[in-house]
């Protein structure tokens, strides 16, 4: 998005405000790369109404950045953070990865220490995963082994906690209670609009059905479309709702309330009872005062915990 001009972003936000009632405390987040061409526009974006930046730093190690195919270097990353602060962004996020090709636990922790020295209000610190249809999937790099990854995660979490960052989701940490609102909405199975080429959306229809959709992916095709730009429109089958909700909500350290489960899915809380009983007995989940959350053990094996709910009625 930061490839747009500040004037274009201002025009977009003004157009949205004409069509939708916006909250007075609206959080408008923009993802940006830390290259100098984009960082030069930060002050303009702030004046246009963007009040939160998410900077795709990924690493402060130039060797790691080259391995990832990133176009910026560590010097530009640090300069972009300074420019964001100078532009008046009191709320910003740094995206940082660990488990990179050839990366040791020592290197990963040095990366994290550099990020913490910048004192971002929010930090997204997550392990590299290899996605289909990517160069890494076609030509897999040599990644750290499981023991090394475990050491990165454990020591990194200790560093973050000591620096005052509270983990509230699997890979999200906030300083002084700062949390990312739009991600919280996704994790709580809330609705959201997908606007523009390649965008994804989720909406709850008037009859209670929950629908996911995507927009035409290529910008040229999107612009050429004659009115209909949605593709892949699909109502989530009732049998998949519990699994979809759990897949998101259990990522949160605080878990979810059974009341929220019913409100967001239309299913009775009893639909989860067999799985809850089983996982509580195995000390993977805890249910107390109508709230469900993963235990420390459950968070270590969260994929297996979530799998118990997939396909639940």
């Amino acid at each position: 998005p930061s490839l747009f001009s500040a004037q274009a972003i201002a025009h977009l936000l003004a157009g949205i405000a004409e069509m939708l009632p916006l909250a007075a405390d609206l959080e408008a987040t923009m993802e940006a790369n830390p290259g100098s061409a984009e960082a030069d526009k930060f002050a303009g974006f702030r004046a246009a109404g963007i009040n939160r930046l998410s900077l795709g730093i990924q690493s402060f190690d130039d060797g790691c950045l080259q391995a990832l195919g990133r176009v910026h270097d560590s010097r530009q990353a640090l300069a972009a953070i300074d420019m964001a602060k100078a532009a008046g962004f009191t709320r910003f996020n740094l995206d940082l990865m660990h488990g990179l090709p050839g990366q040791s636990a020592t290197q990963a922790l040095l990366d994290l220490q550099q990020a913490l020295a910048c004192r971002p209000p929010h930090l997204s610190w997550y392990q590299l995963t290899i996605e289909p249809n990517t160069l890494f999937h076609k030509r897999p790099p040599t990644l750290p082994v499981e023991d090394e990854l475990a050491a990165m995660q454990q020591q990194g979490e200790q560093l973050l906690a000591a620096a005052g960052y509270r983990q509230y989701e699997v890979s999200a940490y906030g300083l002084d209670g700062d949390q990312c609102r739009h991600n919280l909405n996704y994790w709580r199975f809330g609705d959201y609009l997908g606007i523009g080429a390649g965008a994804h959306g989720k909406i709850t229809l008037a009859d209670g059905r929950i629908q996911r959709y995507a927009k035409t992916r290529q910008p040229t095709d999107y612009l050429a479309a004659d009115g209909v730009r949605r593709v892949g429109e699909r109502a989530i089958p009732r049998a998949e709702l519990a699994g979809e909700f759990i897949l998101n909500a259990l990522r949160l350290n605080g878990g979810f309330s059974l009341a929220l489960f019913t409100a967001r899915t239309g299913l009775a809380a009893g639909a989860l009872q067999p799985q809850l009983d089983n996982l509580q007995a195995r000390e993977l989940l805890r249910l107390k005062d109508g709230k469900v959350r993963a235990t420390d053990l459950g968070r270590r094996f969260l994929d297996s915990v979530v799998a118990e709910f997939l396909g639940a009625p």
Side-chain angles (χ1 to χ4, degrees):
S2 52
L3 292 174
F4 279 89
S5 68
Q7 292 81 5
I9 295 299
H11 180 66
L12 174 65
L13 293 178
I16 291 173
E18 289 178 4
M19 302 177 71
L20 296 170
L22 300 179
D25 62 346
L26 173 76
E27 178 179 275
T29 300
M30 172 182 279
E31 291 190 1
N33 289 317
S36 57
E38 296 180 47
D40 285 342
K41 297 185 283 188
F42 286 173
F45 293 140
R46 185 70 188 88
I50 300 297
N51 55 23
R52 186 177 183 272
L53 276 182
S54 185
L55 298 174
I57 303 296
Q58 314 312 350
S59 175
F60 291 97
D61 184 291
D62 287 340
C64 288
L65 288 171
Q66 289 177 2
L68 290 170
R70 305 296 290 186
V71 297
H72 69 274
D73 58 25
S74 57
R75 178 187 57 80
Q76 289 174 311
L78 291 169
I81 295 168
D82 287 341
M83 292 178 77
K85 293 177 180 178
F89 284 98
T90 57
R91 301 191 66 226
F92 62 93
N93 169 67
L94 302 185
D95 261 354
L96 198 69
M97 290 196 288
H98 62 280
L100 303 178
Q103 188 182 51
S104 67
T106 299
Q107 289 174 307
L109 295 174
L110 284 173
D111 249 357
L112 186 56
Q113 287 171 336
Q114 178 65 78
L116 294 176
C118 297
R119 299 303 282 174
H122 191 281
L123 186 64
S124 298
W125 188 62
Y126 52 95
Q127 182 182 324
L128 171 68
T129 56
I130 306 300
E131 299 290 347
N133 303 314
T134 63
L135 181 60
F136 278 174
H137 189 264
K138 185 178 180 180
R139 301 174 186 170
T142 301
L143 299 177
V145 297
E146 286 296 323
D147 287 350
E148 195 84 5
L149 290 171
M152 291 178 192
Q153 188 71 38
Q154 181 180 22
Q155 294 174 43
E157 288 179 355
Q158 291 172 352
L159 272 177
L160 284 155
Y165 287 81
R166 180 182 176 186
Q167 183 184 27
Y168 67 95
E169 188 268 344
V170 169
S171 57
Y173 301 79
L175 187 65
D176 298 327
D178 189 83
Q179 298 181 343
C180 175
R181 293 189 202 169
H182 71 87
N183 277 341
L184 280 175
N185 182 55
Y186 305 146
W187 296 322
R188 290 169 177 163
F189 209 52
D191 287 350
Y192 48 92
L193 296 176
I195 302 171
H200 288 247
K202 170 188 171 288
I203 54 173
T204 302
L205 302 176
D207 61 7
R209 288 181 301 134
I210 298 174
Q211 188 177 67
R212 292 194 183 277
Y213 64 89
K215 292 293 185 70
T216 302
R217 184 174 180 182
Q218 296 297 331
T220 51
D221 295 338
Y222 180 89
L223 291 170
D226 186 17
V228 179
R229 296 185 174 91
R230 286 192 184 186
V231 295
E233 210 163 11
R234 171 182 178 266
I236 304 173
R238 184 179 176 85
E240 297 178 14
L241 283 172
E244 284 227 18
F245 178 92
I246 294 291
L247 182 66
N248 290 280
L250 276 185
R251 291 181 62 91
L252 293 167
N253 286 37
F256 63 92
S257 69
L258 293 176
L260 181 67
F261 170 77
T262 297
R264 293 286 161 89
T265 66
L267 302 174
L272 301 177
Q273 204 59 54
Q275 292 85 1
L276 291 179
D277 290 343
N278 175 30
L279 292 164
Q280 281 192 101
R282 293 157 57 190
E283 298 185 349
L284 296 170
L285 283 187
R286 180 171 293 116
L287 170 60
K288 184 178 180 182
D289 299 328
K291 294 199 69 174
V292 179
R293 68 175 183 84
T295 62
D296 290 342
L297 179 64
R299 292 185 69 76
R300 286 177 55 196
F301 299 98
L302 194 57
D303 286 348
S304 297
V305 172
V306 169
E308 296 283 334
F309 295 92
L310 297 179

